[in-house]
Amino acid sequence: MSSQTLTITIDPAAAEAPFEQVRTQIADQARTGALPVGHKLPTVRGLAGELGLAANTVAKAYRALETDGVIETRGRNGSFVAAAGDAAEKEAAAAAAAYARRAHRLGLDHAAALAAVTDALRAAYGPGA
């Protein structure tokens, strides 16, 4: 599927649900700059039709992207790629600070807290993380 620079491929055999495939691919393209800030995304119904998915599936992906600050919806004007880099970095920093406070309250030392983060990153990003 291609709408200007947006390219999404759905793998029906993948372990990831279709909405997560849509969310991940749009987020990755926004993060790498393949989808520039301000790029207008297809409508939910339009993208669902092009991908052969239910509109609710694409709507769920768009809602998750909006929650993550990757896209912004401007009412009837549509959904656009937001300046997500700064928002994502700020949210990650806030999550890291909250984790550090919690680990400290739990009595973990620096090494144990860092090991827990490293294990979580490996689980999320794969063995090379």
Side-chain angles (χ1 to χ4, degrees):
M1 179 254 121
S2 180
S3 173
Q4 290 182 4
T5 57
L6 177 64
T7 303
I8 296 177
T9 304
I10 300 300
D11 179 359
E16 276 187 330
F19 93 88
E20 182 61 20
Q21 292 180 52
V22 172
R23 187 205 65 76
T24 300
Q25 290 178 52
I26 292 174
D28 289 347
Q29 291 176 52
R31 185 175 45 255
T32 63
L35 289 177
V37 171
H39 177 81
K40 185 173 182 177
L41 296 173
T43 64
V44 167
R45 285 191 182 134
L47 184 57
E50 290 181 47
L51 296 175
L53 297 173
N56 284 341
T57 299
V58 175
K60 184 175 181 179
Y62 275 26
R63 282 191 305 272
L65 289 162
E66 190 166 20
T67 298
D68 292 344
V70 175
I71 67 171
E72 58 187 16
T73 301
R74 301 177 191 160
R76 293 189 179 269
N77 292 322
S79 297
F80 299 82
V81 174
D86 291 341
E89 289 172 13
K90 286 178 185 174
E91 187 172 338
Y99 169 75
R101 287 189 302 273
R102 179 80 173 138
H104 183 45
R105 280 194 309 271
L106 291 170
L108 297 179
D109 64 16
H110 183 273
L114 189 57
V117 169
T118 301
D119 290 345
L121 288 171
R122 275 196 198 107
Y125 287 91

